[in-house]
Every structure is written in structure tokens, then in C-alpha cells.
């Protein structure tokens, strides 16, 4: 019996990348490779790249170095968003043998016949216009939850974003495809599915490879709610203008969808929203939060916000700060604006100095801590359901309630990947919530 060749994966960036890495890994394993951890010696290392932050570029070089240290004869392939945007740059990194763009990454097995190291990285990347077909994927990283990709690409033209250049036009999986993947996941004993995509509220577009479509995001959540065996469904992130009242109502009455929304805002100033070419104004955002609170007072609402966008004055920033401070939300994801090539924003005047960007970012991160604390305090004394994770962290097991409150209790391996009714009692020093089991 010959030794199987070993392959290891490293994923940078979003949940969508994690789901795609899993699918690529399954394809390579079907070719007879054995999957190992990235810290192990392997014959081939595959790095799924991200283009959203400046750091992703630096990280890439460090990860290649790490792989070369483990085995300097290993074959190194780069795939994903950064590989599509700057293939030549990645190919020039010492040790990289193959760079695959948006359409080629799912055919990686066609390019890895002999795994001989190349003097210079070989690039296969398409014109992004060719990225118009859909490849379904899902990831099963830990046993507790899976990321299920339902949509890819984006038709929006936000001035700071490279995603449309990296992933192409908005397109979706067919309804049958999504339901089939959801059933496969539920059969593996996974309790929670997180729906992911680049712009999932746009689901339906491109179901037939063109803009015609039969289904909408509302149809998708309606059908998924009926899939047996899935205890929990979570919507990862949805644009405020695409989050409709009907969807919010469905989630509030749903069997499996949890009361947790993550809604990008990006700025609390209408001037800046217009410069960003976002498709809504702050008034719509207020309306979405009010609607969620009306039907699900206990829902968790997360917000993405960008600080230091060109032209953001102190007044604009304070407008955002006060807007968020007054809004009944649960936590923030704060991004410091970074210039990206080939975006409109990179050419704009009014560049905000780096030290100001980081000061603003710090202020909003502080606000996020306050918001999360206040959200948790409101949950004390209520009954919730927890799904436990699989890790032993310093003698404790953690889990998340349906409305995304992080809870902890002394480690007990039997709790892993199980759901329990609990009564929330108090917030611990580390910010996690303690609870009592409700014996039913």
C-alpha cells in the first residue's frame, strides 16, 4: 500500500472562504490525498486568500514561510479573492507554485498532477466576467455548526470594496442545491447551520446563470425552516435594504431560525453613506432595528461599521458614534478603512490620517463592549437554549444561546454538541454568562 500524499489547508478571511476551503478539500481528498493540519509536514499546502484587509497580504507571506519551514519541497497553491485580484503578486512570493483565480479554484485537482515545485508561481486566473457560474459549498469545521454557502459575488458598487472584482457578479445556488446540502449537513449530526454568501439577501439572482430567478431570500428561509434534523439556522450577515419585514416576521415565528441578525451599517452619517454608495440611508437602518425589536425584543443585533473613510470629519464620526450609542443594538464589528487598489474610494480626497483612524476605531470598540454588556444584562433572569461548543478552555465549556449570548460552565465532555434549556444567572468576570440548567 503506497503512502498517501498529504495536503494541508489554511483559510484567511470570511465564513464563505471556510465553506469553500472545505469543498476544495473534499475534492482533493477524493483524488486520494490525506488531509492533515497546517502545522504538520505535508506534500501540498493550499492557502485560501482574502482581499478585504491590508493585513491579509502580509499574512499570506507569513503563512507561505511557515509552510516552507515545515517542508521546503512542498507544493504551495494560493486560491481565493486575493489570488483573483493580484495573481502576479502572489505568484512572485517565494515558494508559491500555483495561483488559481475565482473560477479555477474549484478545479484545483486539474492542476496538481505532479506537484513539482515551479521556479515561478504558475497563474491561472480568469477575467472576472467569466466568474458567472455557481459552485455550492459548505464547511464542517467543528462538529457544532456548519457554514452553508447559498450565494456568491455581488452586483453592488460600494466605493471601498474589491469583492465584485474578486468574486464576480451576484449568483445563487438553486433551491434544490441548498436544500440538498442542508440535508447532508443535518445527516452528519450537526446542530447549527450558518447561511453565508457575499450578499445573501440578494439570493435568487443567477439561479439559472442569468438574472432571471424564481426564488427570493424569503423563499429560501421558508424552505430551509422545514428541513428536518436541523436544530438551528442562523443568517450570517444581510444588507439592511434587503432585510425585509416578511423575513423578520418569519424568523420571529420560525422553528429553527434564531433571533440573531448581523446587519452592515458602515456609517451613521448619510453624507458618508452616499460617498460609499451604500443603498440606504440611516433612517432605513433605524427602521430595521425597530422592526426586529418589535417582534423579537430579545434578538441579538450585530453591526458592521467602517471608520476613517475618506472625507469622514470629526463631525461625521461623532454622528456615527451617537447614532450607534442611541440604537438598541448588541455589538459592533469595527473595521478601520484601508485603501484598496481599483476602488473609487482610493482616489477620493479627504484622506483620514492613520492615527485618527485608529483612535476612532478604539472608541467604537469601547462602545461595542458597553453594548454587549448591556445586552447581556438584559438577558439575565431569562430562560434560553444553549448549544455547547467542543473545546475545553481552561476547565470550562462554552456555548451560545439562540440569541448569541456566550455562556460557560465547568468542562464536561458529554455536553459537547448538545442543546440544553438554561436559566441565565449572572455575568462572569471574563464577560461570559453563568447559568443554571433547567431540568425538563
Amino acid at each position: 500500500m503506497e503512502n498517501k500524499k498529504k495536503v494541508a489547508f489554511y483559510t484567511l478571511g470570511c465564513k464563505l472562504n471556510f465553506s469553500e476551503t472545505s469543498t476544495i478539500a473534499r475534492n482533493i481528498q477524493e483524488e486520494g490525498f490525506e488531509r492533515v493540519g497546517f502545522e504538520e509536514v505535508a506534500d501540498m499546502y493550499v492557502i485560501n486568500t482574502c482581499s478585504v484587509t491590508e493585513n491579509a497580504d502580509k499574512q499570506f507571506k507569513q503563512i507561505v514561510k511557515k509552510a516552507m519551514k515545515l517542508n521546503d519541497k512542498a507544493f504551495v497553491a494560493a486560491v481565493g479573492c486575493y489570488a483573483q485580484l493580484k495573481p502576479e503578486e502572489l505568484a512572485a512570493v517565494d515558494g508559491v507554485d500555483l495561483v488559481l483565480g475565482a473560477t479555477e479554484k474549484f478545479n484545483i485537482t486539474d492542476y496538481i498532477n505532479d506537484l513539482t515545485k515551479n521556479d515561478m508561481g504558475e497563474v491561472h486566473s480568469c477575467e472576472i466576467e467569466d466568474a458567472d457560474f455557481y459552485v455550492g459549498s459548505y464547511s464542517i469545521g467543528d462538529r457544532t455548526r456548519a457554514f452553508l454557502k447559498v450565494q456568491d459575488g455581488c452586483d453592488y458598487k460600494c466605493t471601498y470594496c474589491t469583492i465584485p472584482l474578486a468574486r464576480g457578479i451576484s449568483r445563487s445556488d438553486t433551491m434544490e442545491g441548498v436544500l440538498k446540502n442542508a440535508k447532508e449537513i443535518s445527516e452528519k449530526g450537526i446542530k447549527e447551520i450558518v447561511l453565508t454568501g457575499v450578499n445573501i439577501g440578494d439570493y435568487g439572482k443567477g439561479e439559472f446563470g442569468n438574472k432571471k430567478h424564481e426564488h427570493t431570500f424569503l423563499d429560501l428561509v421558508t424552505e430551509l425552516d422545514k428541513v428536518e434534523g436541523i436544530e438551528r439556522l442562523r443568517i450570517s450577515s444581510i444588507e439592511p435594504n434587503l432585510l425585509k419585514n416578511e423575513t423578520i416576521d418569519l424568523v420571529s415565528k420560525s422553528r429553527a431560525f434564531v433571533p440573531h441578525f448581523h446587519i452592515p451599517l458602515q456609517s451613521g452619517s448619510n453624507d458618508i453613506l452616499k460617498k460609499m454608495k451604500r443603498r440606504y440611508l440611516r433612517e432605513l437602518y433605524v427602521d430595521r432595528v425597530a422592526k426586529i425589536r418589535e417582534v423579537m425584543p430579545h434578538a441579538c443585533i450585530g453591526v458592521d461599521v467602517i471608520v476613517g473613510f475618506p472625507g469622514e470629519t470629526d463631525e461625521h464620526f461623532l454622528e456615527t458614534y451617537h447614532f450607534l450609542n442611541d440604537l438598541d443594538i448588541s455589538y459592533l464589528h469595527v473595521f478601520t478603512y484601508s485603501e484598496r487598489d481599483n476602488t473609487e474610494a482610493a482616489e477620493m480626497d479627504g484622506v483620514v490620517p492613520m492615527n485618527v483612524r485608529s483612535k476612532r476605531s478604539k472608541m467604537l470598540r469601547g462602545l461595542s463592549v458597553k453594548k454587549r454588556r448591556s445586552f447581556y444584562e438584559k438577558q439575565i433572569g431569562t430562560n434560553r437554549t444553549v448549544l455547547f461548543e467542543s473545546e475545553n478552555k481552561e476547565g470550562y465549556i462554552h456555548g451560545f444561546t439562540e440569541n448569541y449570548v456566550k455562556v460557560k460552565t465547568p468542562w464536561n465532555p458529554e455536553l459537547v454538541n448538545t442543546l440544553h434549556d438554561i436559566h441565565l444567572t449572572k455575568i462572569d468576570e471574563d464577560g461570559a454568562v453563568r447559568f443554571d440548567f433547567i431540568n425538563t
Side-chain angles (χ1 to χ4, degrees):
M1 154 114 189
E2 58 168 333
N3 283 342
K4 275 188 169 184
K5 284 216 176 352
K6 293 185 168 134
V7 60
F9 295 86
Y10 198 103
T11 305
L12 291 158
C14 63
K15 298 181 171 104
L16 185 56
N17 270 2
F18 279 92
S19 78
E20 293 182 344
T21 298
S22 279
T23 296
I24 293 166
R26 285 194 287 273
N27 295 344
I28 292 180
Q29 283 164 290
E30 278 163 18
E31 296 289 314
F33 280 77
E34 180 192 340
R35 184 174 181 175
V36 297
F38 203 83
E39 46 305 318
E40 296 179 47
V41 174
D43 301 288
M44 175 176 177
Y45 293 93
V46 179
I47 304 165
N48 195 352
T49 62
C50 166
S51 70
V52 172
T53 59
E54 281 297 345
N55 272 349
D57 326 349
K58 296 192 191 84
Q59 276 175 303
F60 177 74
K61 290 183 175 139
Q62 287 160 353
I63 295 158
V64 174
K65 229 184 219 152
K66 198 169 135 189
M68 292 284 85
K69 238 189 203 142
L70 289 162
N71 177 6
D72 59 5
K73 301 198 171 45
F75 187 85
V76 176
V79 301
C81 290
Y82 205 64
Q84 174 65 34
L85 287 176
K86 305 250 173 117
E88 277 70 27
E89 218 169 274
L90 291 191
V93 171
D94 220 17
V96 174
D97 300 294
L98 176 67
V99 178
L100 298 181
T103 58
E104 289 74 19
K105 61 188 169 192
F106 294 107
N107 307 327
I108 186 167
T109 51
D110 299 349
Y111 299 102
I112 53 172
N113 306 333
D114 62 352
L115 298 193
T116 0
K117 295 234 23 106
N118 295 322
D119 296 338
M120 175 74 189
E122 189 184 315
V123 173
H124 296 274
S125 79
C126 61
E127 289 304 315
I128 197 61
E129 288 70 42
D130 300 340
D132 58 0
F133 57 88
Y134 183 86
V135 178
S137 58
Y138 58 86
S139 83
I140 298 177
D142 58 17
R143 297 213 303 275
T144 356
R145 65 174 60 87
F147 299 121
L148 170 59
K149 173 180 160 185
V150 299
Q151 181 276 342
D152 198 349
C154 188
D155 293 339
Y156 286 12
K157 301 280 188 285
C158 301
T159 54
Y160 52 80
C161 186
T162 53
I163 296 291
L165 299 169
R167 283 186 170 270
I169 57 168
S170 178
R171 52 208 190 274
S172 309
D173 202 347
T174 59
M175 186 70 90
E176 299 81 57
V178 175
L179 295 174
K180 176 179 154 290
N181 284 340
K183 288 190 181 91
E184 276 177 26
I185 293 168
S186 77
E187 283 157 12
K188 292 179 164 66
I190 286 166
K191 302 279 196 293
E192 181 177 312
I193 291 181
V194 183
L195 302 185
T196 76
V198 174
N199 186 356
I200 62 174
D202 212 21
Y203 174 81
K205 251 195 204 173
E207 243 181 309
F208 306 106
N210 54 25
K211 293 295 172 214
K212 283 211 296 282
H213 57 91
E214 265 172 42
H215 300 108
T216 62
F217 185 68
L218 180 65
D219 297 338
L220 177 73
V221 290
T222 307
E223 289 307 310
L224 277 169
D225 202 29
K226 300 174 189 163
V227 175
E228 278 174 36
I230 298 164
E231 305 275 351
R232 278 187 179 182
L233 285 155
R234 204 179 287 277
I235 298 168
S236 66
S237 175
I238 184 163
E239 292 284 310
N241 50 306
L242 295 172
L243 177 56
K244 304 287 190 248
N245 283 347
E246 295 80 7
T247 304
I248 296 172
D249 285 330
L250 180 126
V251 169
S252 75
K253 302 185 184 85
S254 150
R255 176 191 69 81
F257 275 93
V258 294
H260 176 204
F261 294 88
H262 193 90
I263 315 167
L265 167 69
Q266 313 310 16
S267 174
S269 154
N270 282 342
D271 293 349
I272 298 294
L273 288 172
K274 287 173 188 165
K275 287 188 77 172
M276 290 175 163
K277 292 197 178 162
R278 300 292 287 155
R279 298 193 174 195
Y280 54 86
L281 295 174
R282 56 186 262 165
E283 290 73 14
L284 174 93
Y285 201 92
V286 172
D287 181 62
R288 300 297 73 208
V289 171
K291 172 66 185 172
I292 293 169
R293 287 280 166 245
E294 178 198 324
V295 294
M296 286 171 277
H298 61 295
C300 180
I301 303 175
V303 182
D304 285 340
V305 60
I306 295 171
V307 296
F309 189 79
E312 184 185 62
T313 61
D314 286 345
E315 290 73 26
H316 289 132
F317 172 69
L318 286 172
E319 214 183 327
T320 296
Y321 188 92
H322 295 306
F323 179 74
L324 289 165
N325 195 28
D326 296 341
L327 209 54
D328 189 359
I329 52 157
S330 319
Y331 65 90
L332 302 170
H333 279 174
V334 185
F335 298 90
T336 306
Y337 171 74
S338 67
E339 284 77 3
R340 314 302 293 149
D341 290 347
N342 302 321
T343 58
E344 264 184 75
E347 312 292 315
M348 286 179 184
D349 299 336
V351 173
V352 178
M354 274 304 181
N355 60 332
V356 177
R357 293 184 209 183
S358 55
K359 187 177 147 203
R360 287 175 186 173
S361 164
K362 210 180 233 158
M363 279 176 73
L364 284 182
R365 290 205 170 101
L367 180 62
S368 181
V369 171
K370 199 176 97 179
K371 286 283 184 189
R372 180 167 278 150
R373 176 101 195 175
S374 136
F375 173 63
Y376 280 13
E377 279 167 359
K378 287 185 192 137
Q379 303 307 311
I380 299 300
T382 61
N383 296 344
R384 297 281 167 239
T385 307
V386 60
L387 172 59
F388 286 107
E389 311 270 314
S390 51
E391 222 179 318
N392 180 345
K393 286 188 182 156
E394 296 172 7
Y396 286 93
I397 186 169
H398 290 81
F400 284 94
T401 63
E402 69 277 27
N403 61 341
Y404 216 54
V405 173
K406 189 177 190 181
V407 302
K408 64 187 270 197
T409 196
W411 170 254
N412 171 356
E414 285 168 21
L415 294 175
V416 170
N417 196 31
T418 60
L419 287 144
H420 295 271
D421 293 328
I422 58 171
H423 179 76
L424 303 181
T425 56
K426 65 174 203 289
I427 303 178
D428 218 1
E429 305 76 270
D430 64 358
V433 175
R434 294 301 198 115
F435 60 87
D436 298 325
F437 284 102
I438 300 172
N439 297 322
T440 42

